[in-house]
Amino acid sequence: MTLPANLRYTEEHEWLQERDDVVRIGVTQHAADALGDIVYVQLPAVGDGIEAGQPCGELESTKSVSDLFAPVTGEVTAVNDAVVDDPALINSEPYDAGWLLEVRATETGAVLTAQQYAELIAE
């Protein structure tokens, strides 16, 4: 599995991409594979505040329900309605069309480089 080197990662298997003054957030291919077929996504609304390290949504698969943990603190500025309508995008394109939300971040939690995340999931 190739990890995009331009992203940062969390131990909870989210990825972050800084885009101007906002951070785009999604879940990694590793997480999507572990969850199996994702069938439902619950995300915060635009304007909601989220806090780094705290649950901010849920991903439901045919196997289980998993919390989505906020990797940053800030205000949600965009939600990817395409994944709400078609959660399978998270499985098929987790780093592209399967992104989840964008946040105007005031603080970033603990993050890993692609190399550090690769070592974490290899264990």
Side-chain angles (χ1 to χ4, degrees), residues 88-107:
L89 285 172
I90 299 167
N91 294 107
S92 63
E93 299 182 62
Y95 301 112
D96 295 309
W99 66 274
L100 300 175
L101 59 144
E102 292 181 343
V103 177
R104 182 165 287 107
T106 57
E107 182 181 330

Side-chain angles (χ1 to χ4, degrees), residues 1-9 15 29 95-96 113-115:
M1 169 186 340
T2 303
L3 293 170
N6 63 319
L7 303 178
R8 294 186 292 162
Y9 301 86
W15 59 261
Q29 183 73 59
Y95 301 112
D96 295 309
T113 65
Q115 178 63 36

Side-chain angles (χ1 to χ4, degrees), residues 19-37:
R19 301 168 60 87
D20 296 324
D21 65 337
V22 298
V23 176
R24 181 171 276 189
I25 299 166
V27 296
T28 65
Q29 183 73 59
H30 177 80
D33 291 347
L35 283 167
D37 294 333

Side-chain angles (χ1 to χ4, degrees), residues 12 14 25-27 31-32 35-45 48 50 54-62 64-71 79-80 83-88 90-91 98-101:
E12 290 79 28
E14 288 89 20
I25 299 166
V27 296
L35 283 167
D37 294 333
I38 299 171
V39 296
Y40 177 75
V41 179
Q42 183 253 322
L43 298 171
D48 284 357
I50 62 173
Q54 298 299 310
C56 66
E58 289 182 342
L59 302 177
E60 183 177 333
S61 72
T62 54
S64 67
V65 177
S66 295
D67 283 330
L68 173 67
F69 289 93
V79 173
N80 186 354
V83 298
V84 174
D85 295 340
D86 183 11
I90 299 167
N91 294 107
W99 66 274
L100 300 175
L101 59 144

